[in-house]
């Protein structure tokens, strides 16, 4: 059963097993960032916290972030993941509202800037909560292992996406992650980048593991980990 934890007066994290999602409330509307792995009642949970209209935005299209999608008429996400993650097939009643890089959504005295960061998936997004100086990074910045193998991953673009977040470091004081520790220091994208460079330069050791029927390399570094073919 999902656990709701309030971060501040208008922000909540919803812990759904090994993944979490977030509710952000503005003066006029609220945004649910992702909807968990086993939480088809995500919209109902959101409505128990706010009386504002609730919109759904997905950081990316992996199944552990989309369990509550069917309750929404619209889903805001990058078109790449809507297509590559078969969202139209899974949720045929849900209309895509395409999110563009740099787009700003104003919830009412709470502007959110959309940042396209391909790598973990082709359509991965981070959300910069400008007023609250917080970055919601999806799966791309975290303490846990980041999936970088299989269809829809774009490892060759990942470092540039981390650089994109690092370039905005003066705009946020905290990073919120979807897995493992929920709250990370503002410099964590830089730490993940250095770890990723060690992996790409073959300077990090790994072990071979079986993951969902795939033989993958599991890298465990000080700040995070990666799964790759």
């Amino acid at each position: 059963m999902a656990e709701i934890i309030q971060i501040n007066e208008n922000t909540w994290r919803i812990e759904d097993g090994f993944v979490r999602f977030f509710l952000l409330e503005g003066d006029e509307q609220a945004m649910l960032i992702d909807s968990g792995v086993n939480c088809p009642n995500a919209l109902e949970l959101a409505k128990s916290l706010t009386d504002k209209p609730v919109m759904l935005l997905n950081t990316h299209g992996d199944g552990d972030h989309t369990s509550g999608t069917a309750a929404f008429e619209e889903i805001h996400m990058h078109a790449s993941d809507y297509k590559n993650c078969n969202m139209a097939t899974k949720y045929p009643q849900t209309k895509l509202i395409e999110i563009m890089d740099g787009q700003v959504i104003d919830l009412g005295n709470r502007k959110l800037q959309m940042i396209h960061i391909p790598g973990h998936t082709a359509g991965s997004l981070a959300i910069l909560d400008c007023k609250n100086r917080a970055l919601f990074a999806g799966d791309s910045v975290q303490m846990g292992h980041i999936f970088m193998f299989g269809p829809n991953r774009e490892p060759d673009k990942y470092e540039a996406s981390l650089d994109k977040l690092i370039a905005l470091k003066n705009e946020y004081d905290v990073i919120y992650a979807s897995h493992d520790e929920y709250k990370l220091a503002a410099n964590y994208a830089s730490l993940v980048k250095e770890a990723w460079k060690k992996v790409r330069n073959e300077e990090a050791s790994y072990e071979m593991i079986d993951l969902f029927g795939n033989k993958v390399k599991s890298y465990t570094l000080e700040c995070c980990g990666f799964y790759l073919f």
Side-chain angles (χ1 to χ4, degrees):
M1 185 174 180
E3 180 184 9
I4 300 170
I5 302 171
Q6 191 162 12
I7 296 174
N8 57 41
E9 64 178 356
N10 56 9
T11 309
W12 296 261
R13 59 184 169 103
I14 302 164
E15 301 287 337
D16 186 22
F18 65 89
V19 67
R20 72 179 56 84
F21 54 104
F22 299 89
L23 179 68
L24 282 56
E25 182 187 56
D27 292 343
E28 298 173 6
Q29 57 183 329
M31 176 184 287
L32 197 63
I33 299 179
D34 294 332
S35 61
V37 65
N38 189 31
C39 203
N41 64 332
L43 177 56
E44 181 182 338
L45 289 179
K47 287 183 174 180
S48 73
L49 300 172
T50 178
D51 59 1
K52 308 295 192 303
V54 179
M55 60 186 291
L56 174 64
L57 183 138
N58 263 86
T59 58
H60 60 294
D62 283 349
D64 57 332
H65 295 258
T66 63
S67 68
T69 301
F72 290 84
E73 295 181 359
E74 298 176 341
I75 181 171
H76 299 70
M77 68 187 304
H78 195 276
S80 295
D81 272 21
Y82 187 82
K83 176 183 177 182
N84 294 341
C85 298
N86 300 315
M87 298 298 287
T89 300
K90 295 175 183 175
Y91 307 104
Q93 80 292 347
T94 304
K95 176 185 176 182
L96 169 66
I97 305 298
E98 183 177 352
I99 293 296
M100 308 297 291
D101 183 41
Q103 179 178 345
V104 174
I105 297 175
D106 191 351
L107 302 180
N109 199 30
R110 191 173 191 177
K111 293 182 178 180
L112 307 175
Q113 180 182 342
M114 306 293 118
I115 307 164
H116 182 213
I117 48 169
H120 174 63
T121 66
S124 284
L125 295 168
I127 298 94
L128 178 62
D129 185 356
C130 303
K131 183 177 180 179
N132 292 291
R133 297 184 56 82
L135 182 74
F136 296 82
D139 283 5
S140 297
V141 179
Q142 58 169 293
M143 276 189 174
H145 277 68
I146 300 167
F147 282 62
M148 297 296 289
F149 72 92
N152 201 28
R153 312 299 178 193
E154 295 191 336
D156 290 339
K157 297 181 180 180
Y158 183 54
E159 185 174 336
S161 291
L162 292 173
D163 283 336
K164 196 171 183 178
L165 298 180
I166 293 166
L168 294 168
K169 63 183 180 181
N170 292 330
E171 304 297 322
Y172 55 87
D173 300 320
V174 62
I175 297 175
Y176 292 118
S178 296
H179 297 279
D180 209 283
E181 293 292 328
Y182 88 95
K183 186 177 182 181
L184 305 174
N187 70 333
Y188 218 83
S190 296
L191 300 180
V192 173
K193 176 189 172 181
E194 292 306 310
W196 179 243
K197 287 174 65 177
K198 289 180 181 179
V199 169
R200 297 293 271 180
N201 293 335
E202 299 183 351
E203 297 171 353
S205 61
Y206 64 86
E207 61 176 332
M208 296 300 300
I209 66 169
D210 185 90
L211 193 63
F212 305 123
N214 299 284
K215 294 294 183 182
V216 302
K217 298 175 181 178
S218 175
Y219 295 84
T220 302
L221 294 98
E222 185 174 353
C223 68
C224 64
F226 301 96
Y227 295 129
L228 290 90
F229 279 139

